[in-house]
Each structure stands twice: as C-alpha cells, then as structure tokens.
Amino acid sequence: MMDIKIVLIGHRGVGKSELLVRLKSYFPQFHYFDLDAVIAEKLANPVYKIFETFGEEYFRSKEVEQARLILNKKDVIVSLGAGFNLENLPEDVICIWVRRPTDSDGRIFLNRPTLDPKLSPLEDYLARFDKRQRKYFEKADFIYDMPEGISILESKTLAKKGVLIQEKNLFKEFLFRTGKKCKGVLTLNPYNVNTRLAFETVEFRTDIFSAKEIIRLVEIFGKKSKMILSFRKDNVHDLDELMDILPSFYAVDVDSELGAILDQINAKTSTAIRKKLIVSCHIPDIDENTKTLDSLVKVKSKAIVKCSPVIQSFTELKWLYDWYMKNPSGRMIFPRSDEDSKNSDWQWFRHFMLSKQVLNFVNDGFSTVPDQPTLLDTFLYNDSFTQFAAVIGNPVHHSYSPVFHYEYMKKRNMPYYRIKIEEKEFDEALDFLEEIGLQAASITAPFKEAAYRRYQPRAGTDIKIKSINTLYLSNDGKAHIANTDTMGLMKTLTQISSEVFKKDLQKLTIVLWGGGGVVPAIKSEVPSVHLVASRDGKLPKGTKDIDILIWAAPRSLLTQVPKNCTIGAVFDLSYGGNSMGLELAKQHNIPYFSGLEMFKEQGRGQQLFWSQFDERK
C-alpha cells in the first residue's frame, strides 16, 4: 500500500460524506472514516444531540481526539466536519478541499444543529463562511471543484461515458500518479507548484516567479510537460537571464505592453524561438484589446495573438468570436467575467473552445480566473463536436441539469453547458448560441414564457400554457417545444396528501407562492390552486389555513413569507440548499418536501422529448 493519509475538508453540506462513499466504491483498498459518524457511534448519540447536550467546545475536543487516533493508521481517507480545527492535523496529512459553486450562497439544514441559536439557520452558516474559506485555502493541497448535482447520480451511472467515471479518473491520477496528463495549461504558482497531477502543459509567469525560480522549475518540469514562459508587465526579468533556457519552452508569451521584450526577442533570438512567440493582451476593453493586438502583428511580430478582455454581454462575446473566426489559426480568445461578478459568466464558452484552440487554461482551484474550466471539466469536455446543449436561465450556477443530462448528451456527442443570460439580451444571446451550434436546451427561470414567444412560430404547434422548459432545434431550422414542468408534480402532491394529511388531494387547500413562468403549468394540473405573488404576500380572502404551500419564490429581500396562518406542509420546487421555503419549514417545524424528485421527472421527460428528434439515431 501507499501509506497515505488524506482528509476531506469543506463547508457544511458540500457533500464530503457522499464523496467519501463514492471514493470507497472507486478505491476499496483504502480505509475510510466519516469523523462525525465515528464520534456519533462512540458517544451513542447523533451529532446534533451531542451539540445540544455538551456544547460545541466538547464536540470539537472529541473531533481532535478521534482524528488523531484515525490518522495514526496507514492508507486512510477521512471526511472532517466543516468546523474542525485544521491546525490540529499532522504535517504528513494531505488536505483535499471539496467545494461547490453554491458554497457562498449558504445552506440550511433540517437535521443539523444551529451552532449559534441567536442567528437564523442561513445567518449561522454565512457567519462562519469567510473565516472557514480562508482556512480551507491555506491548508488545501488539492482543491476538488465538485459539480452541482453529482450526489443525485446512481451507482449504475458509473458507465463509460458518465460523470462518475470521470470523477474516478481524476482521483485515480491524484492518488496513484499514473503519469496520464491532464488536458490544458496549468499556470503554476506557489500554492500548486508541488501538484501531484501531471499536465500536458505548464506555464511559468515572470510576475509569479523569479528568473532563478523559473530556471529551477524548468529542471523539474522539463521532462514531464510542455512549458510556456510568460512575460508579464508587473515584474519583468531581464531577457538575458532567461535567454539560455528559451529553447526549452513550447511557447514564449509576451504581454502586449512589453514592447522592449518583443523587440529583444525579434532581434536576438533564433527563427525557431520566434516561431514559438505568442503576444497576449489583457486590456479589459474589447475594442482596445483587439486593436492593440492587430497593430502589433502588423508592425512588430507575426506571432499568434492571445486576446483576454472582460466581456460584459453576449453582443461583445459575439464580436470577440467573430474576430477570432477571421483567423482561428493565428488567434486565441479567453473572455473574462467582470471582477464584480459573483459567478463565472463565460466558463461555458471556455468549455466550448476547449477542442477548438491550441491552448486552453485550466483552473485547479488555485487560480484567480473563475472562467477557466475546472480539473474535472477537462476530463468531461475534451471531445470535438459541432452542436451542443445547455440549461439557459438566470441564475444557473446552482443547476443540477449539466450533471443530470451529461451522459445522455455525451452519447450524442454533445456537451451540455450552463449558460446565464441577462433578461435584456435574451434574443441576442439565443441568436448567437444558435449560430455556434445550440441544438437542445432546458429553459429555466425567468425565460420560459420568452422562449415560448421566440420559438412557437418556428414550431408549427402550440402549447396551451404558453410557457416552455424544453427545446430542440432541428438542422432544418425547425423548433420543437415542450413543457415538462408538471412531471412529478402530482406524484409529490399525492405523496404529501397521503403521508401528512391522510386525505384526498382534492380536499386540501393548496397555495402556490410565487412561480413566475411555472404558474401556467401548475395551474393546468391543479386548477384549484390559489396563487399568491411572493412580493405582495397577500393570501386569498378568508384563507387562514394552508394545507400545502408550494414554494416557488426566489431568495430576495423583496420576497414575503406567509403570515398569520398555519401551514401543514411545504413543497419546495427548489432543490437548492438556501431556499426560503426550506428556511420557513425549519423555523416552524413544518414537514418539508424538496423539488428534487420533481426535477428528476422533468429531466427524464426532457430526454424522452429530445429523443424523438435525435437526428443521430
């Protein structure tokens, strides 16, 4: 065996325990421990009871005690609680930080203790978030950006083309160092320079490493990976210091503002080295960026150019892509999201370009560029293709759809992305997406009615509720539209009426709180449902008792919650961890039913619909 000791760290509810179970199925030769479960077994009490009875300080002491005992063993992988004091870990332990895009949204738990009873469940999570986030980053040896929804996949999906097999492949490379190289370019920095993974290409930047350090890194990585030397304006080394090792590099990348370095390379280096030259520009404004590169190519260099502007809209993205397509062999494009954007706007486009450009940068978790594909993405999205599918909405960073539909689309040689669109540019965005190959889509809030208006004239058929969540575009330009929103709705409502009320559904008072584009679909299935605008919050006159509250409102300061009434059960159309419907159920101890099963039924319905028009059959 390997005598390896690994701990999984990360925020509450991220999925460490579930990942531990999957790792055990992938690699049974290791010994696996869920620290919370170990403590609960030792003290013969669930964790929340230990907190309630003895307090947090006592629980933390037991964490350290049991962790030390476990980590004295060989070949162990341990899942730690979010609040474990990482300073108590031995030096020889490898820390894997497990994180998800929704970590910063916060999570609410029906079955876990609130650590500070003075705070709401969500406030309790967020109060600890920033401090824990910093600790995880400082301690992490490896960061696993786990996709949303991977926990819903069943073990039978460990198929040749499934997400789980690619997760297994990623961890196989990490654990056993087989030497198989990860796709893409990894920019090295002090945090990842000792990476356990092998990469096709690594980049050394002069604003990160000294000339002496770069020379040393060439000795280490020269036999393992192709290398790129990048001169950046923030810390420019004398070219003479690095002249002797220039032939070692696959490419030499010079920032467009470093005219003197460009002149030196053109004057002092061989033709072979000049052929490796890339000129890059990171000026935020797209017009200034492309003009700078075009000018340099005309005047100073015939190098390949790399354009990385901040892109603010689909109009700008289309402009950038059109510029690239005028000379795809001589240009590379890497759109960046605005720094104020909470989540990446253009990661999907970086995925789209993975098989189209010579170089593509990867984010191993230690990068500051959120638009770069993650490590797992490079395993999932590396095949060439002509058409693609997507979930389209705003927000979409929380969506399970890319994971749910991955294998179905992979069999049809179509990647499936999550694409966020601003409402004001819906049609412009869809024009561009269709132009570059969109064929199938899951339409989510707030675009279900807008999508109906756009595509119904091309469909030749109508939908009574005038709202769609499923789209397929044939190669002849015809649109096929459907709404699977209500699939699973009646099944869950019937389950609630039976389990909670022991009554027929028709005898219950059902209120839909919010809903937007899903209202017509639900109204068509449950005509007696009472509709309440979530910003208004006014119940129908005379209604004091709600049997089933269908929660379909977003988390917002403007969203009201029901007042002066009793609620028998909450059916939350969301499956997110920070839903206000979930919070309402926890605060008032109301039976809670997630929309996850309904989501799965909707997804299966979408796949059945798409299969009718699959032109690859």
Side-chain angles (χ1 to χ4, degrees):
M1 291 293 284
M2 303 167 61
D3 191 13
I4 196 169
K5 300 172 185 179
I6 292 174
V7 295
L8 307 180
I9 62 176
H11 292 288
R12 298 180 90 194
V14 71
K16 299 184 294 292
S17 296
E18 292 162 333
L19 174 60
L20 192 77
V21 172
R22 296 198 300 275
L23 290 175
K24 186 175 182 178
S25 71
Y26 303 155
F27 313 110
Q29 60 267 51
F30 294 98
H31 306 291
Y32 294 86
F33 299 89
D34 185 321
L35 189 58
D36 280 357
V38 169
I39 295 170
E41 183 179 352
K42 290 287 182 184
L43 299 181
N45 264 309
V47 169
Y48 79 90
K49 275 289 186 185
I50 300 171
F51 267 85
E52 287 178 357
T53 306
F54 302 104
E56 183 177 359
E57 186 176 345
Y58 175 83
F59 179 80
R60 298 302 177 200
S61 70
K62 290 298 175 184
E63 277 188 317
V64 174
E65 176 186 302
Q66 292 301 318
R68 284 175 177 166
L69 291 173
I70 294 169
L71 292 170
N72 278 331
K73 306 175 189 290
K74 294 182 178 181
D75 299 313
V76 295
I77 301 180
V78 187
S79 171
L80 301 181
F84 184 91
N85 186 349
L86 301 178
E87 301 305 318
N88 289 307
L89 290 173
E91 287 294 322
D92 60 343
V93 168
I94 297 171
C95 287
I96 298 178
W97 178 13
V98 183
R99 67 183 190 184
R100 281 168 40 203
T102 55
D103 281 352
S104 60
D105 294 346
R107 297 190 181 101
I108 300 161
F109 308 97
L110 291 175
N111 57 352
R112 298 193 190 186
T114 298
L115 302 182
D116 187 342
K118 297 189 294 294
L119 299 176
S120 73
L122 189 61
E123 289 170 342
D124 184 54
Y125 175 101
L126 294 174
R128 291 164 171 75
F129 179 80
D130 288 337
K131 183 178 179 181
R132 287 179 174 177
Q133 187 92 339
R134 288 191 297 271
K135 289 290 185 183
Y136 298 152
F137 185 85
E138 290 167 3
K139 202 68 178 176
D141 298 296
F142 178 69
I143 299 175
Y144 175 39
D145 283 303
M146 189 164 67
E148 295 291 334
I150 196 169
S151 61
I152 70 171
L153 297 178
E154 300 172 8
S155 58
K156 67 181 181 181
T157 61
L158 194 61
K160 189 174 181 180
K161 295 182 181 295
V163 173
L164 296 181
I165 195 65
Q166 300 303 345
E167 180 183 63
K168 178 182 178 180
N169 288 339
L170 172 59
F171 276 94
K172 179 181 177 182
E173 298 309 314
F174 176 79
L175 291 170
F176 301 106
R177 296 180 171 183
T178 68
K180 183 178 179 181
K181 294 176 181 176
C182 299
K183 302 283 186 181
V185 181
L186 178 69
T187 300
L188 291 178
N189 59 53
Y191 295 102
N192 65 8
V193 71
N194 294 316
T195 177
R196 291 175 61 89
L197 297 175
F199 287 84
E200 282 186 343
T201 311
V202 291
E203 178 191 37
F204 313 139
R205 282 173 32 180
T206 61
D207 58 336
I208 297 176
F209 298 108
S210 67
K212 185 176 180 180
E213 288 170 331
I214 290 172
I215 292 169
R216 175 61 181 148
L217 289 171
V218 168
E219 294 175 1
I220 296 170
F221 286 91
K223 294 181 180 179
K224 298 189 292 185
S225 304
K226 292 185 289 188
M227 299 177 293
I228 298 174
L229 175 62
S230 294
F231 288 90
R232 292 291 176 264
K233 63 178 182 175
D234 294 330
N235 186 15
V236 182
H237 307 318
D238 188 334
L239 182 61
D240 291 337
E241 295 179 86
L242 299 170
M243 187 68 77
D244 289 344
I245 61 170
L246 288 184
S248 305
F249 289 97
Y250 169 71
V252 178
D253 181 346
V254 181
D255 190 281
S256 60
E257 297 186 45
L258 300 178
I261 295 289
L262 278 173
D263 289 341
Q264 283 183 279
I265 289 176
N266 285 325
K268 294 183 178 181
T269 62
S270 65
T271 301
I273 290 175
R274 291 197 297 274
K275 285 183 177 179
K276 301 178 180 182
L277 188 61
I278 297 171
V279 179
S280 60
C281 186
H282 301 86
I283 296 171
D285 181 77
I286 184 174
D287 188 53
E288 185 179 353
N289 192 309
T290 52
K291 284 181 178 177
T292 297
L293 290 173
D294 288 342
S295 175
L296 280 171
V297 168
K298 285 181 181 178
V299 176
K300 288 196 173 186
S301 171
K302 299 299 181 184
I304 292 174
V305 295
K306 188 177 79 176
C307 178
S308 185
V310 172
I311 296 298
Q312 305 278 8
S313 67
F314 271 84
T315 299
E316 288 189 349
L317 184 66
K318 174 177 167 50
W319 196 97
L320 180 66
Y321 184 72
D322 289 345
W323 178 83
Y324 159 79
M325 287 300 293
K326 290 174 183 175
N327 183 13
S329 62
R331 293 172 175 174
M332 294 182 287
I333 53 174
F334 300 94
R336 291 179 288 147
S337 299
D338 190 286
E339 289 183 2
D340 294 331
S341 179
K342 183 180 177 183
N343 297 289
S344 164
D345 293 331
W346 309 119
Q347 189 181 64
W348 72 267
F349 187 78
R350 297 276 193 115
H351 291 165
F352 174 81
M353 296 299 291
L354 277 174
S355 63
K356 295 175 171 55
Q357 298 187 142
V358 176
L359 298 179
N360 287 284
F361 290 81
V362 59
N363 187 344
D364 66 344
F366 296 103
S367 168
T368 58
V369 184
D371 299 288
Q372 292 173 343
T374 68
L375 288 175
L376 184 61
D377 289 337
T378 64
F379 283 77
L380 295 172
Y381 301 108
N382 55 27
D383 296 332
S384 59
F385 60 92
T386 56
Q387 293 168 309
F388 64 92
V391 55
I392 293 171
N394 190 356
V396 290
H397 70 282
H398 65 290
S399 177
Y400 287 9
S401 292
V403 160
F404 187 86
H405 293 304
Y406 175 83
E407 186 175 350
Y408 173 88
M409 290 299 177
K410 184 76 171 177
K411 291 175 181 176
R412 290 152 180 81
N413 196 34
M414 284 199 291
Y416 186 106
Y417 307 132
R418 54 167 56 85
I419 301 179
K420 185 182 95 172
I421 298 175
E422 298 296 333
E423 288 189 64
K424 62 185 178 183
E425 58 174 354
F426 176 73
D427 283 310
E428 292 87 343
L430 266 297
D431 286 344
F432 176 63
L433 294 175
E434 288 188 46
E435 176 188 327
I436 63 174
L438 177 69
Q439 183 159 71
S442 306
I443 310 294
T444 188
F447 298 122
K448 296 181 181 184
E449 291 163 324
Y452 168 82
R453 291 191 295 271
R454 176 183 173 90
Y455 289 107
Q456 190 279 327
R458 288 166 55 182
T461 57
D462 202 1
I463 292 180
K464 184 178 180 181
I465 59 176
K466 303 188 184 310
S467 169
I468 67 170
N469 76 335
T470 309
L471 171 68
Y472 190 92
L473 299 171
S474 298
N475 292 336
D476 61 5
K478 186 175 181 180
H480 305 275
I481 57 176
N483 194 313
T484 68
D485 272 337
T486 59
M487 288 188 171
L489 173 71
M490 297 307 296
K491 180 179 178 181
T492 304
L493 287 175
T494 302
Q495 176 191 355
I496 296 171
S497 66
S498 174
E499 291 182 8
V500 178
F501 301 99
K502 315 295 185 192
K503 292 182 181 179
D504 290 339
L505 186 62
Q506 292 78 9
K507 297 179 180 179
L508 300 178
T509 300
I510 302 174
V511 171
L512 175 61
W513 201 270
V518 80
V519 169
I522 292 180
K523 188 72 175 173
S524 70
E525 292 291 320
V526 190
S528 62
V529 68
H530 300 286
L531 306 180
V532 175
S534 62
R535 291 188 180 186
D536 178 62
K538 291 183 179 178
L539 288 168
K541 192 173 182 180
T543 302
K544 290 188 176 180
D545 296 318
I546 300 174
D547 293 318
I548 301 177
L549 177 69
I550 303 177
W551 188 268
R555 174 166 287 280
S556 166
L557 293 174
L558 299 176
T559 298
Q560 304 293 311
V561 296
K563 297 175 182 176
N564 303 318
C565 65
T566 61
I567 302 170
V570 173
F571 176 23
D572 192 351
L573 298 191
S574 166
Y575 47 79
N578 74 339
S579 164
M580 292 179 73
L582 176 58
E583 190 168 33
L584 179 71
K586 182 176 177 69
Q587 287 176 336
H588 299 284
N589 198 28
I590 302 169
Y592 176 82
F593 295 81
S594 165
L596 184 57
E597 290 305 314
M598 182 172 163
F599 162 78
K600 293 178 184 178
E601 290 292 331
Q602 291 171 349
R604 285 189 278 267
Q606 289 179 321
Q607 291 177 6
L608 286 171
F609 181 79
W610 290 326
S611 294
Q612 298 176 70
F613 314 105
D614 187 355
E615 294 163 32
R616 295 171 177 79
K617 290 189 293 187

